[in-house]
Amino acid sequence: MEYDVVVIGGGAAGLAAGMMSARSRRRVVVVDAGEPRNAPATHIHGFLSRDGVSPAELFETGRAEVVGYGGEVINDRVLAIEHDAENGFVVRLADGPGLSTRGVVVATGLRDELPEVAGVRERWGNDVVHCPYCHGYEVRDSPIGVLGGDNRPFTLHQASLVRQWSSDVVFFPNQITLDAEERERLIARGIRIADGDVVRVVVDGDRLSGVELADGQVIARSAVFVGPRFVPHDDLLTALGCEVGENGWVVTDAMGRTSVPGVWAAGNVVAEGAQVINAAGAGSLAAVALNHYLLAQDVEQAVRDHRAVGGVFSAEMEQRVSELVVGDRRHGLL
């Protein structure tokens, strides 16, 4: 079947793009492999009117809204996006037929590469977290640890930031060697420093209870913030030849347009710091921009069809079409 839009990824960005495309009366399908980044989390926070909802509930609601507006949702994995001279692109699926489409929104997110410390992955999304804006309020005024890792600037910043939510913060440099200035800044901020390699996070029953160092010392903590290395799931975009910036991430404009005509990207696949509400907004913007891109094609095709049957196309009408296209380009929609 031919579509106007294929959205790859069924998280907040992808579902928002799918809903907006469906509301624009486009033939749209969302393809979702069912592996959301925030699946381990029990609640989503900071999302206006949806604060505290579970990720599963948010995505279930989003799928229903896409379908309710006439869109489709397919549970499958996308293997590749291929250029197609006739329609635009063919999206190859693992278990289904290829999807022919005029435009694509890639919203495949990223993966969190966590520190190699025992217990971190098992508690990830519960009491081992990374985003203070997502989880800080829930652990406010409690004993908090911040674990140093490969992402050095992030974890040092994170330690100072987490201090806003609690007066009892311990920074575990782990394998980071702090210089004198870094150490002074942390101490001045009211953060204690626990030197030594971290062996594991200690769990008592079903709750984190502390952080164990290599010398056997256990420092009581009820939550630990870590700094993962963020790795975008951007293989589909780079295989298409989308431009990659100096930071290693695919480049998009403010509306999510990539360097490849007809391909947009939204959410964590191109923005490591995007929270759920930001990702949803980015998906909506990408769908609007893609709709205007398709609109320009629709108008040009209508003109060709009109002329093919001997229709009269006045200079005034031609000027209006030209102004429509130029205006959309000026506003970043084409």
Side-chain angles (χ1 to χ4, degrees), residues 57-236:
E57 183 180 347
L58 181 71
F59 299 149
E60 181 181 355
T61 300
R63 283 178 164 229
E65 289 174 347
V66 172
V67 173
Y69 285 115
E72 300 176 41
V73 178
I74 295 175
N75 298 316
D76 208 334
R77 184 180 301 278
V78 173
L79 300 180
I81 307 169
E82 300 172 358
H83 288 283
D84 176 52
E86 183 175 342
N87 197 39
F89 305 93
V90 174
V91 176
R92 301 295 182 189
L93 304 181
D95 298 319
L99 306 175
S100 180
T101 182
R102 298 167 62 193
V104 178
V105 178
V106 177
T108 44
L110 59 77
R111 73 175 184 273
D112 300 290
E113 289 194 352
L114 301 173
E116 292 295 331
V117 172
V120 164
R121 182 162 297 280
E122 290 77 6
R123 302 306 303 172
W124 178 241
N126 293 293
D127 35 31
V128 175
V129 293
H130 91 276
C131 175
Y133 297 104
C134 302
H135 305 283
Y137 190 83
E138 281 62 48
V139 297
R140 65 194 183 281
D141 300 326
S142 65
I144 296 174
V146 178
L147 177 62
D150 293 338
N151 196 339
R152 180 193 186 106
F154 180 91
T155 51
L156 288 171
H157 170 75
Q158 189 182 46
S160 293
L161 179 60
V162 167
R163 178 64 178 78
Q164 291 181 215
W165 282 268
S166 175
S167 60
D168 184 0
V169 176
V170 175
F171 181 65
F172 299 87
N174 196 22
Q175 297 177 5
I176 293 176
T177 300
L178 297 173
D179 62 34
E181 182 180 356
E182 291 169 337
R183 189 174 291 271
E184 180 185 32
R185 290 174 67 86
L186 291 169
I187 293 172
R189 179 69 171 148
I191 298 166
R192 289 185 290 150
I193 300 171
D195 293 304
D197 290 345
V198 172
V199 174
R200 65 182 176 120
V201 294
V202 180
V203 178
D204 183 8
D206 63 349
R207 294 294 303 170
L208 186 149
S209 62
V211 175
E212 183 178 348
L213 300 176
D215 62 6
Q217 180 184 10
V218 175
I219 298 178
R221 301 287 92 184
S222 59
V224 171
F225 284 80
V226 301
R229 191 166 75 89
F230 304 120
V231 182
H233 292 299
D234 59 5
D235 291 352
L236 296 173

